[in-house]
Amino acid sequence: MTEQESEPVYASVEEWVTERFIPMYRRTLGGEFRWCAQWWKHAEAISRLTALWHAWEALRLEAGTGMGVWYRDHLDHQLPILLGSRGPFYQCSEDEHLEPHQANVEPAPDGWWAISTESDSDDQSDDPYAKSHLL
């Protein structure tokens, strides 16, 4: 393999999405399949598309079955999630971006992540889930 072959074909995830992903993997949008033209405003989509791009760049270099592995292990898994009706674009349409809702998070109480000791297992709490986070 030459150095040129190991260089990425695409310089960024945006380039890969606009030059490879969108032209190649077309679906009728609406209903089952969703897309947001502002896909770069969706952190989950960025993460999934970046993973697809990196895997594509690596597996394209594998002679024979590399791309087959990419389809089976990467695209075939990510595409229904990414474009699915409950995926990261579920509130959007091709023409309208709606900011995805972020779930609320409360900080864990002090000591919650402490390592369990044998004396902890003797604790007879009324809450059966009290120490389940340590399992």
Side-chain angles (χ1 to χ4, degrees), residues 3 24 34 36 41 59 77 80-81 84 87 90 97-98 102 109 130 135:
E3 186 176 317
M24 182 70 131
R34 305 289 183 154
C36 181
K41 287 187 175 180
L59 289 168
H77 173 74
I81 296 168
Y90 82 97
H97 167 76
L98 295 175
Q102 181 173 321
L135 299 177

Side-chain angles (χ1 to χ4, degrees), residues 10-134:
Y10 300 101
S12 67
V13 67
E14 181 177 23
E15 188 178 313
W16 183 82
V17 167
T18 57
E19 294 181 19
R20 178 74 184 189
F21 182 79
I22 293 299
M24 182 70 131
Y25 307 106
R26 299 175 186 201
R27 301 292 185 273
T28 301
L29 298 175
E32 182 182 353
F33 299 110
R34 305 289 183 154
W35 180 254
C36 181
Q38 297 177 26
W39 61 271
W40 36 267
K41 287 187 175 180
H42 297 266
E44 180 184 356
I46 293 167
S47 180
R48 289 180 182 279
L49 288 163
T50 300
L52 284 170
W53 167 49
H54 285 292
W56 184 89
E57 290 284 3
L59 289 168
R60 74 179 173 81
L61 300 171
E62 298 293 324
T65 61
M67 290 312 297
V69 169
W70 182 79
Y71 277 102
R72 183 195 66 208
D73 292 352
H74 300 278
L75 184 68
D76 291 349
H77 173 74
Q78 296 290 357
L79 202 59
I81 296 168
L82 186 62
L83 302 182
S85 61
R86 297 305 293 165
F89 307 130
Y90 82 97
Q91 295 181 93
C92 298
S93 70
E94 196 173 14
D95 301 318
E96 181 183 18
H97 167 76
L98 295 175
E99 194 62 32
H101 172 76
Q102 181 173 321
N104 293 329
V105 177
E106 292 185 17
D110 289 342
W112 184 260
W113 301 109
I115 296 175
S116 177
T117 64
E118 195 171 314
S119 64
D120 289 339
S121 63
D122 296 335
D123 182 12
Q124 300 297 321
S125 171
D126 291 339
D127 181 358
Y129 300 104
K131 299 285 184 197
S132 64
H133 66 282
L134 297 174

